[in-house]
Amino acid sequence: MRAYLLAAAIALAPLPALAHKVIFGVFPSGDMIEGELGFSNGDMAVDQLVEVFDQNGEKLGEATTDADGFFVYQPSEAITHVFRADLGAGHVGEVEMPAAEVGEILGIAAEEEALREAAPVVSDGAGGVTVAALTLEEKLAIAEIVRDEIRPLRREITAYKEHNNLQTILGGLGYIVGLFGVGFYFAARRKLAA
């Protein structure tokens, strides 16, 4: 009987799945839309075609990923952009950037911010903090440096989110409950035998 139970436990033991999910994200990058495409196991999509559509399904353009799985796309209209990539074997990634974000990239919603930046800086005299104004080129250079620095972090956060989701937590709780059940089963058998 024990041999059958042991064989059943080994046969029914959950093994780690070799599946992976598609990681697909887009974000503003200066006056462009930058995206990242790959799998949750860390493999990135190299030379992968990414098609861009509007909300009605009309094709707006295409982009291709580089060796690190990144791509850039230049938007021309402040409409919702839907990015779609078919990685084969049933792996299809789709992500959407809302029209408001695309409008910010194109500078349509940035008029108020430009007016605020054009306002003179008020200095309160002695003891106050003087704010140095940055030129547009300096701001763009800083933004590019920050984007390059946070790119690996963004990738790690996305992979971490994919790896440690609710399903993983529930699976761990299931293991604990199962082990207690097996322990109670053997304890009950010992008690009945005594």
Side-chain angles (χ1 to χ4, degrees), residues 38-126:
F39 295 102
S40 59
N41 64 0
D43 293 340
M44 302 311 294
V46 179
D47 294 328
Q48 177 64 47
L49 176 68
V50 177
E51 295 177 301
V52 187
F53 300 92
D54 65 6
Q55 274 187 318
N56 299 324
E58 291 188 35
K59 192 170 183 176
L60 300 174
E62 296 177 347
T64 304
T65 60
D66 61 12
D68 294 325
F70 287 97
F71 67 92
V72 291
Y73 179 76
Q74 174 70 54
S76 59
E77 297 178 73
I79 58 174
T80 299
H81 285 59
V82 179
F83 296 84
R84 191 173 300 145
D86 186 358
L87 297 145
H91 294 99
V92 177
E94 185 173 310
V95 66
E96 182 178 305
M97 179 173 275
E101 272 190 67
V102 178
E104 287 180 19
I105 291 170
L106 295 173
I108 294 172
E111 291 178 4
E112 291 181 22
E113 187 175 326
L115 290 174
R116 266 188 266 130
E117 288 180 4
V121 177
V122 178
S123 176
D124 61 351

Side-chain angles (χ1 to χ4, degrees), residues 1 22 24 35 49 54 73 97 139 157 187:
M1 180 68 178
V22 174
F24 197 8
L49 176 68
D54 65 6
Y73 179 76
M97 179 173 275
K139 289 179 182 177
I157 290 170

